[in-house]
């Protein structure tokens, strides 16, 4: 049995190495970015020169927190690169392990909790570093020695559940601070409502999700499992589980086995016990919804959220996200619900409506650079349905229309880390700065009724506070103390601002009066209330209330529920899930953070192109994901601009090997890929009834230029990729073979184009609802003695089917080749059921009709969890000059997770009926999505 487990471990790790051989690129910043660096004891920070002040702050936070975060898992200290990006509009951070690095994206989220953004990133991402470094012990350390850093990344993906990786990081950010997601009722609302209203799902469904029901994400699920059991059994529980995975990976489920040794329960049983305990705890603390309110949003069949309601003369305008639809801006009135606009990604707290206008800030990618993206302001007209973009290449957030409807207040986040309140004139587009700060993060501006004052939030090391800005004088006043309670502004009123926040363990709609400085609660809900706004007339309150079926819009009488009010400075209790916390523990918010000033030096991109991080005693083909005898060396720099592979590839079939070197550079506007290989080749030839044993030396060298352009706008994902390249092939036959090549050198030129225009997919969609993809490739050998050429073109179009989530795909292609000395491979897709179809001139067409059959959410122990069954009806056709081929048939697919592995698998059965031959061909079909586990 142990031998079988060892073999299984080897297979899983080998497949993991193969899957990750394509490297994990975190995108590229603009080529003209001037990078600087500083070094601390444990980190090297790489950052744009204008971000130096925040880089110093981040460096001190990292060094202060690192020993404490590491100690929580017993991890050893490692030196790690940290790359700070300041050109992206998305609030994010990540840890990669091949090579080992952290990437921080500096824009704080508008809906973030009351903590400095850098502190959040430091605690969360350092915990990921600790998790992975803890794997480099025992057997894991041996794998690290044999395979480099890729071994650790593969082990984390294969043996540590994703809910643990993220849940443990959320636990660290919460336990080691005075705030964190774990203290916010809105973060727990999804799981809490599900348990109290619908009950617990199976372990597999909770972990891997569902196409049928909403399930909280792995951050929320994982935090509650990790936090509850850390407080119940001690934090050693998780350290031992990670260590067990590193030292005994040959066990089928080493992480679960370690939990069973310590608690008597494996991962699945521990999950169920945790859910039972949480359900009982939350039921004992349940608040009966004592408010009299009317639901405004319609009930929908599937999980749906209605957020940010705005009262207008045309009805309630809100932002709708659905389990079964794209994100929409909708209007709700007495006649029902109407879709007004279908934007691209809208940032949280990024929506406002007044009179007939709707403003929002929308994600807009850069034309070329994946780490440079913008947040632009768009304005929609309810009367005409037209959309106007008010800003270009901006970092504007949380737009709020004033009551007159002629100006928009926005929060700007600048590349140097400072932030500001800006005012945009709707008619002229003129923008001016009303107030800025280098000390605090400024967010969520809200116009008061007089259109002369703007309430906004400032967040800093001591928490979050409400400020009030006089637009005319450009003078801002702090009105509340800084607190770590989670709260957010929603709308402005007459001398007051409406907000939603957490006091006394509840997240409810509130009102803050600037004259009296009183905070009054306006709602009493079962789970959470948010986004309060006064209805027209001022006697009713509109807000969003959470349920197990999503956020619902509600309306109630406008009156405070408690008197005299809530003390704004009342701190949140220092307990989690009913457990008191150690008051002497390290918390980043009150710990003495050093103010060391580190030496800043230039970061020379040219001197940091290569960073060897992994190797293998076999050769990995990144394209085919095959492993062959040989060896591999893998390099990737910290900026993700240079990837290089060197190795020796031995072909068992030919009994020969070749040295291979490949390099890709993504730091210029066009991407550059170069390759070089040299080695021996063998083959056989039959000429005039005589067999020849061919042996020759072969050298291949090539350069490829590529230009990926991103034109994504609104609901459409659009892009264009242009490419051109040349490859030289030099071959010399051994003299004793008795044959010679007609020519030793052949030069192949290639040119290619890929263009796409695709509608965004809903979660359940199999194909895009509509869209087009075009591809053109031309290759030729003009310098050969017997020149050849090949032209290939294909077009794919998508159309809606007869019902929701049904889709039609039409593929047409042509292939024309002029025979020459050099033989080209074919790109054309042949009819299903056939193999080995070749021709100089071919035309192909394929028609698919795909639709879902069921969403069973069915599990068979830990072996298989089936999320969806779907089918595909097809007809394929190919014509060559002398023959036609056609097939029709059916594919039955199951989207599953096998053996509790995180990468989703699609597998099924295909029956093809070959029409000319009149016979049927059956095939097993299989695919695995490794990218989904990153």
């Amino acid at each position: 049995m142990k031998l079988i487990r060892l073999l299984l471990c080897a297979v899983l790790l080998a497949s993991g190495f193969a899957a990750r051989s394509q490297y994990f690129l975190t995108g590229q910043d603009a080529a003209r970015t001037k990078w600087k660096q500083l070094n601390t004891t444990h980190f090297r920070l790489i950052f744009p020169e204008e971000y130096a002040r925040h880089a110093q702050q981040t460096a001190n936070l990292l060094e202060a927190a690192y020993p404490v975060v590491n100690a929580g898992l017993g991890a050893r200290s490692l030196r790690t690169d940290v790359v700070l990006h300041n050109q992206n509009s998305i609030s994010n951070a990540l840890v990669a392990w091949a090579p080992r690095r952290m990437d921080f994206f500096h824009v704080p989220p508008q809906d973030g909790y009351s903590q400095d953004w850098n502190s959040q990133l430091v605690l969360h991402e350092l915990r990921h570093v600790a998790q992975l470094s803890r794997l480099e012990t025992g057997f894991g350390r041996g794998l690290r020695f044999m395979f480099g850093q890729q071994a650790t990344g593969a082990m984390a993906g294969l043996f540590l559940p994703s809910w643990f990786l993220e849940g443990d990081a959320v636990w660290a950010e919460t336990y080691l601070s005075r705030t964190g997601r774990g203290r916010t009722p809105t973060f727990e609302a999804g799981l809490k409502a599900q348990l109290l209203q619908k009950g617990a799902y199976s372990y597999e469904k909770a972990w891997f999700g569902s196409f049928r029901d909403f399930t909280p994400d792995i951050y929320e699920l994982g935090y509650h499992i990790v936090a509850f059991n850390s407080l119940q059994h001690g934090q050693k529980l998780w350290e031992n589980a990670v260590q067990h995975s590193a030292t005994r990976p040959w066990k089928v489920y080493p992480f679960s086995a370690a939990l069973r040794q310590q608690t008597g329960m494996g991962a699945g049983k521990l999950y169920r016990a945790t859910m039972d305990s949480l359900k009982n705890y939350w039921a004992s603390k349940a608040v009966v919804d004592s408010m009299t309110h009317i639901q405004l949003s319609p009930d929908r069949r599937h999980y749906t959220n209605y957020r940010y309601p705005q009262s207008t003369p045309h009805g309630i305008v809100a932002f709708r996200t659905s389990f079964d639809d794209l994100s929409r801006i909708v209007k709700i009135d007495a006649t029902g619900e109407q879709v007004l606009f279908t934007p691209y990604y809208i940032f949280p707290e990024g929506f406002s409506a007044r009179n007939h206008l709707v403003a929002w800030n929308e994600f807009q990618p850069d034309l070329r650079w994946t780490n440079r993206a913008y947040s632009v302001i768009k304005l929609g007209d309810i009367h005409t349905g037209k959309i106007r973009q008010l800003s270009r290449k901006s970092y504007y957030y949380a737009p709020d229309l004033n009551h007159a409807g002629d100006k928009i207040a926005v929060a700007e986040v600048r590349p140097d880390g400072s932030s500001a309140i800006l005012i945009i004139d709707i008619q002229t587009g003129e923008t001016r700065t009303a107030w800025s700060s280098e000390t605090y993060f400024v967010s969520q501006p809200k116009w008061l009724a007089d259109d002369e004052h703007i309430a906004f939030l400032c967040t800093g090391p001591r928490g979050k506070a409400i400020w009030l800005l006089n637009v005319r004088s450009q003078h801002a006043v702090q009105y509340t103390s800084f607190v770590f309670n989670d709260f957010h502004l929603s709308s402005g009123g007459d001398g007051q601002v409406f907000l939603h926040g957490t006091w006394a363990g509840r997240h409810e709609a509130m009102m803050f009066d600037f004259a009296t400085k009183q905070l009054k609660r306006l709602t009493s809900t079962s789970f959470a209330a948010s986004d309060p706004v006064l209805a027209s007339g001022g006697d009713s309150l509109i807000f969003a209330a959470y349920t197990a079926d999503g956020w619902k819009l509600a309306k109630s009488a406008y009156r405070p529920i408690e008197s005299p009010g809530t003390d704004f400075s009342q701190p949140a209790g220092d307990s989690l899930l009913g457990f008191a916390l150690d008051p002497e523990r390290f918390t980043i918010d009150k710990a003495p953070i050093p103010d060391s000033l580190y030496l800043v030096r230039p970061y020379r991109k040219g001197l940091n192109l290569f960073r060897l991080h992994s190797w293998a005693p076999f050769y990995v083909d990144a394209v085919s994901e095959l492993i062959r005898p040989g060896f591999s060396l893998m390099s990737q720099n910290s900026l993700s601009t240079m990837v290089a592979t060197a190795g020796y590839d031995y072909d068992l079939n030919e009994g020969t090997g070749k040295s291979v070197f490949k390099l890709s550079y993504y730091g210029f506007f066009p991407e550059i890929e170069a390759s070089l290989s040299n080695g021996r080749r063998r083959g056989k030839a039959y000429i005039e009834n005589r067999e020849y044993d061919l042996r020759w030396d072969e050298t291949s060298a090539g350069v490829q230029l590529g230009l990926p352009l991103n034109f994504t706008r609104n609901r459409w994902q659009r892009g264009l990729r242009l490419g051109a390249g040349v490859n030289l092939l030099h071959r010399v036959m051994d003299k004793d073979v008795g044959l010679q090549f007609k020519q030793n050198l052949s030069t192949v030129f290639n040119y290619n184009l890929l263009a796409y225009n695709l509608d965004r997919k809903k979660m359940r969609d199999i194909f895009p609802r509509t869209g087009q993809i075009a591809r053109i490739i031309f290759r030729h050998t003009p310098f050969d003695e017997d020149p050849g050429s090949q032209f290939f073109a294909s077009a794919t179009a998508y159309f809606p089917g007869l019902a929701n989530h049904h889709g039609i795909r039409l593929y047409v292609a042509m292939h024309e080749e002029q025979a020459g000395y050099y033989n080209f491979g074919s790109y054309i897709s042949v009819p299903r059921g056939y193999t080995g179809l070749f021709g100089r001139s071919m035309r192909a067409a394929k028609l698919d009709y795909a639709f879902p059959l069921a969403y069973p959410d069915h599990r068979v122990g830990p072996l298989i969890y089936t999320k969806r069954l779907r089918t595909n009806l097809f007809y394929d056709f190919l014509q060559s000059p002398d023959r036609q081929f056609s097939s029709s048939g059916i594919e039955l697919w199951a989207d599953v997770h096998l053996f509790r592995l995180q990468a989703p698998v699609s597998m099924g059965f295909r029956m093809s009926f070959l029409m000319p031959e009149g016979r049927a061909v059956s095939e097993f079909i299989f695919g695995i999505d490794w990218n989904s586990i990153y």
Side-chain angles (χ1 to χ4, degrees):
M1 179 61 72
K2 189 172 182 179
L3 177 59
I4 294 175
R5 290 175 177 174
L6 280 169
L7 291 174
L8 175 61
C9 176
V11 170
L12 290 175
L13 288 173
S15 63
F17 295 148
R20 288 160 181 78
S21 64
Q22 295 177 350
Y23 301 92
F24 183 52
L25 299 174
T26 53
Q28 292 78 43
D29 299 75
R32 66 169 180 264
T33 303
K34 295 181 179 179
W35 295 95
K36 300 289 186 178
Q37 64 178 325
L38 62 83
N39 287 276
T40 72
T41 304
H42 299 102
F43 305 96
R44 177 176 67 161
L45 277 72
I46 305 167
F47 52 91
E49 63 176 354
E50 67 270 19
Y51 202 62
R53 180 172 62 88
H54 282 268
Q56 295 281 0
Q57 177 197 17
T58 304
N60 282 294
L61 286 168
L62 285 166
E63 285 296 341
Y66 189 45
V68 181
V69 176
N70 259 14
L73 284 176
R76 65 190 182 97
S77 296
L78 293 172
R79 186 167 178 79
T80 305
D81 276 3
V82 184
V83 185
L84 308 181
H85 306 275
N86 69 340
Q87 302 172 11
N88 205 319
S89 57
I90 297 289
S91 307
N92 196 16
L94 54 91
V95 170
W97 213 252
R100 181 174 61 251
R101 66 196 186 279
M102 292 190 283
D103 286 84
F104 288 3
F105 297 87
H106 94 288
V107 176
Q110 292 288 315
D111 65 338
Y113 42 87
S114 302
Q115 188 178 50
D116 169 70
W117 178 237
N118 277 345
S119 298
Q120 297 177 42
L121 296 186
V122 163
L123 290 177
H124 189 99
E125 303 309 325
L126 279 182
R127 191 62 164 198
H128 286 316
V129 173
Q131 292 162 354
L132 289 159
S133 62
R134 193 67 179 89
L135 283 175
E136 295 184 352
T137 58
F139 189 82
R141 187 173 185 179
L143 288 176
R144 167 70 167 79
F145 176 79
M146 290 176 60
F147 302 108
Q149 293 173 8
Q150 64 176 345
T152 309
M155 290 184 67
L158 292 168
F159 300 133
L160 299 186
S162 56
W163 60 258
F164 165 74
L165 291 169
E166 294 302 347
D168 181 60
V170 176
W171 160 252
E173 79 186 35
T174 304
Y175 182 74
L176 299 177
S177 75
R178 298 176 63 183
T179 176
R181 275 172 281 190
R183 299 178 191 274
T184 61
T186 50
F187 180 71
E188 71 180 23
L191 184 61
K192 181 179 179 180
Q194 177 206 304
L195 291 179
L196 294 182
Q197 293 186 339
K198 297 188 175 184
Y201 296 137
S202 71
Y203 174 55
E204 287 76 14
K205 181 172 181 176
W207 179 6
F208 299 123
S210 167
F211 286 105
R212 184 175 66 191
D213 300 304
F214 168 77
T215 56
D217 62 28
I218 56 175
Y219 294 83
E220 185 176 347
L221 171 72
Y223 165 75
H224 285 94
I225 299 176
V226 171
F228 182 83
N229 289 286
S230 292
L231 299 167
Q232 179 85 7
H233 301 287
Q235 296 188 53
K236 275 285 187 180
L237 175 70
W238 305 110
E239 178 186 342
N240 293 338
V242 178
Q243 181 184 19
H244 199 80
S245 300
T247 57
R248 296 171 177 83
W250 53 81
K251 292 190 174 182
V252 177
Y253 298 109
F255 186 86
S256 184
L259 297 178
R260 186 179 297 107
Q261 286 181 359
Q262 299 173 87
T263 67
M265 297 177 286
K269 288 185 177 180
L270 187 70
Y271 157 78
R272 289 188 288 273
T274 302
M275 295 303 106
D276 288 342
S277 298
L278 289 175
K279 183 178 180 179
N280 293 335
Y281 169 70
W282 282 328
S284 70
K285 302 290 184 181
V287 176
V288 177
D289 188 346
S290 58
M291 293 182 60
T292 301
H293 63 262
I294 303 170
Q295 182 174 317
L296 299 177
S297 55
D299 288 322
R300 293 173 64 87
R301 181 179 177 184
H302 303 287
Y303 182 92
T304 302
N305 290 318
Y306 291 89
R307 293 293 308 271
Y308 318 123
Q310 309 283 301
S311 181
T312 76
H314 307 279
I316 305 301
V317 178
F319 182 55
R320 187 188 79 193
T321 56
S322 174
F323 197 66
D324 200 45
D325 194 10
L326 301 176
S327 302
R328 313 275 192 179
I329 295 173
V330 300
K331 181 186 70 172
I332 300 172
D333 57 21
T335 64
E337 181 179 337
Q338 175 189 348
V339 174
L340 297 176
F341 309 104
T342 302
Y344 192 38
Y345 173 74
I346 288 184
F347 290 87
E349 309 289 346
F351 179 75
S352 174
R354 193 82 65 185
N355 303 322
H356 65 285
L357 298 177
V358 182
W360 65 90
N361 69 294
E362 184 174 309
F363 175 80
Q364 199 167 92
D366 185 72
L367 178 66
R368 166 63 179 88
W369 305 108
T370 47
N371 280 343
R372 184 168 71 183
Y374 308 100
S375 175
V376 301
I377 303 299
K378 291 195 172 182
L379 190 67
D381 191 310
I382 295 176
H383 290 158
T384 65
K386 293 183 178 180
I387 298 174
R388 184 157 60 103
Q389 185 170 322
L390 297 183
S391 67
R392 299 284 188 277
K393 297 185 176 181
S394 59
Y395 297 96
Y396 297 166
Y397 299 84
D400 192 58
L401 283 154
N402 69 351
H403 293 73
D406 60 353
K407 292 182 176 62
I408 301 176
V410 300
E412 181 189 30
V413 182
R414 294 167 174 169
D416 64 359
S418 65
S419 55
I421 302 294
L422 307 184
I423 296 175
I424 303 174
D425 187 292
I426 290 176
Q427 297 301 320
T428 65
E430 179 185 353
T431 301
R432 65 182 179 89
T433 301
W435 193 78
S436 63
S437 174
E438 293 186 353
T439 305
Y440 301 116
F441 168 58
V442 178
S443 64
Q444 298 179 17
K446 303 296 176 185
W447 290 94
L448 299 196
D450 60 8
D451 279 352
E452 293 187 2
H453 293 84
I454 297 174
F456 63 96
L457 300 178
C458 283
T459 305
R462 294 177 292 125
K464 188 185 290 185
I466 298 176
W467 290 53
L468 188 64
L469 169 67
N470 185 306
V471 176
R472 290 189 178 182
S473 67
Q474 298 188 5
H475 179 66
V477 177
Q478 179 184 341
Y479 263 81
T480 69
S481 57
F482 281 92
V483 296
F484 289 106
N485 305 58
D486 179 52
F487 70 96
H488 310 273
L489 301 187
S490 179
S491 60
D494 187 6
Q496 57 200 196
V497 65
F498 295 90
L499 60 145
H500 53 102
T502 301
W503 278 270
R506 301 175 61 180
H507 194 95
E508 300 289 353
M510 306 271 187
M511 181 270 290
F512 179 80
D513 187 273
F514 286 100
T516 64
K517 296 187 179 181
Q518 282 193 324
L519 180 68
K520 295 188 176 182
R521 184 161 61 91
L522 305 177
T523 60
S524 176
T525 56
S526 299
F527 302 107
S530 68
D531 314 324
V533 62
L534 280 183
S536 301
D539 58 348
S540 298
L541 185 76
I542 299 169
F543 61 96
Y546 191 79
T547 73
D549 293 315
W551 290 93
K552 307 297 181 184
L553 298 187
K555 182 178 181 180
S556 67
Y558 171 49
R559 61 174 180 270
I561 285 181
E562 54 188 8
S563 183
T566 299
D567 181 3
F568 188 93
S569 59
Q570 175 186 353
D574 196 23
S575 64
L576 294 172
L577 304 176
F579 295 86
L581 304 182
D582 178 9
E584 300 302 319
R585 74 190 188 281
F586 170 93
T587 58
I588 199 169
D589 309 299
K590 65 180 183 181
I593 305 299
D595 57 357
S596 302
L597 191 63
Y598 295 96
L599 176 65
V600 174
R601 298 181 293 111
Y603 178 81
R604 306 296 184 189
K605 292 188 289 185
L607 299 179
N608 290 275
L609 292 176
F610 296 95
R611 185 182 175 192
L612 179 67
H613 60 79
S614 299
W615 45 87
F618 44 74
Y619 183 78
V620 179
D621 189 322
V623 176
S624 63
E625 294 190 356
L626 294 177
I627 296 175
R628 294 192 290 266
F631 68 87
S632 302
L633 301 174
M634 304 166 197
S635 167
Q636 179 181 322
N637 66 348
S638 295
L639 295 181
S640 292
T641 55
M642 171 73 93
V643 169
T645 301
Y648 183 77
D649 180 9
Y650 186 81
D651 190 319
L652 286 171
N653 182 51
E654 292 187 8
T656 60
K658 59 182 177 181
S659 301
V660 179
F661 177 74
K662 296 180 181 178
L663 180 149
S664 300
Y665 187 74
Y666 306 104
F668 295 142
F669 199 77
E671 299 174 348
I672 303 174
E673 296 183 3
S675 63
L676 176 65
S677 67
N678 176 257
R680 295 285 291 170
R681 296 290 309 278
R682 291 185 60 185
K684 290 187 179 297
Y686 297 89
I687 301 175
E688 296 180 354
N689 297 323
R690 179 182 174 184
E691 180 182 276
Y692 290 86
D693 184 11
L694 306 181
R695 301 181 306 279
W696 71 92
D697 292 315
E698 182 174 290
T699 301
S700 176
V703 176
Q704 185 78 24
L705 299 179
L707 185 59
L709 302 175
N710 191 340
F711 297 97
T712 295
R713 295 294 184 270
N714 305 317
R715 64 185 291 176
W716 296 98
Q717 299 179 55
R718 293 170 174 156
L720 174 67
R721 182 178 181 89
L722 303 172
V726 58
N727 189 78
L728 281 70
L729 181 66
H730 185 263
R731 298 181 293 184
V732 178
M733 189 74 72
D734 289 358
K735 293 181 179 179
D736 61 349
V737 170
L739 293 175
Q740 290 295 325
F741 293 111
K742 292 182 179 180
Q743 60 183 65
N744 289 337
L745 178 65
S746 186
T747 306
V748 182
F749 294 90
N750 70 84
Y751 318 90
N752 56 81
L753 175 149
L754 174 66
Y756 57 90
N757 175 54
L758 301 172
D759 196 359
R760 285 186 293 128
K761 289 173 60 176
K762 305 169 189 175
M763 190 190 73
R764 288 182 170 181
D765 286 347
I766 300 170
F767 298 149
R769 180 174 172 81
T770 57
Q772 304 81 35
I773 302 174
R775 189 180 186 189
I776 298 175
I777 298 172
F778 178 67
R779 301 186 288 181
H780 66 144
T781 56
F783 303 139
D784 282 4
E785 296 177 7
D786 185 11
S789 64
Q790 181 193 75
F791 177 80
F792 169 81
S794 69
T796 303
Y798 295 95
F799 306 94
L802 300 175
N804 201 15
H805 310 303
H806 289 221
I808 300 172
R809 178 176 60 191
L810 174 63
Y811 164 89
V812 293
M814 65 171 295
H815 166 101
E816 290 289 341
E817 183 171 340
Q818 178 182 333
Y821 169 71
Y822 187 92
N823 292 318
F824 300 99
S826 176
Y827 287 100
I828 205 160
S829 180
V830 302
R832 276 159 278 198
Y834 288 95
T835 58
L837 299 184
F838 304 99
R840 301 297 183 188
S841 177
M842 293 185 288
R843 305 289 185 269
K846 292 188 170 186
L847 181 65
D848 293 81
Y849 188 94
F851 57 95
L853 293 174
Y855 308 104
D857 292 348
H858 180 70
R859 58 183 285 270
V860 179
L863 300 180
I864 184 170
Y865 168 61
T866 304
K867 294 174 65 174
R868 177 172 62 182
L869 300 175
R870 54 188 170 90
T871 191
N872 183 40
L873 306 176
F874 65 87
Y875 173 78
D876 299 346
F877 175 81
L878 185 141
Q879 182 177 29
S880 63
D882 55 350
R883 194 174 174 188
Q884 294 183 355
F885 304 88
S886 61
S887 67
S888 62
I890 185 171
E891 297 172 341
L892 298 175
W893 289 91
D895 297 318
V896 304
H897 286 266
L898 298 175
F899 309 113
R900 288 181 178 166
L901 294 176
Q902 297 169 55
V905 170
S906 294
M907 62 182 186
F909 173 80
R910 175 190 296 150
M911 178 62 72
S912 304
F913 183 72
L914 311 187
M915 295 182 177
E917 292 87 346
R919 63 184 178 92
V921 176
S922 60
E923 301 170 88
F924 175 73
I925 45 182
F926 181 89
I928 185 166
D929 183 8
W930 289 106
N931 292 326
S932 65
I933 66 175
Y934 289 120

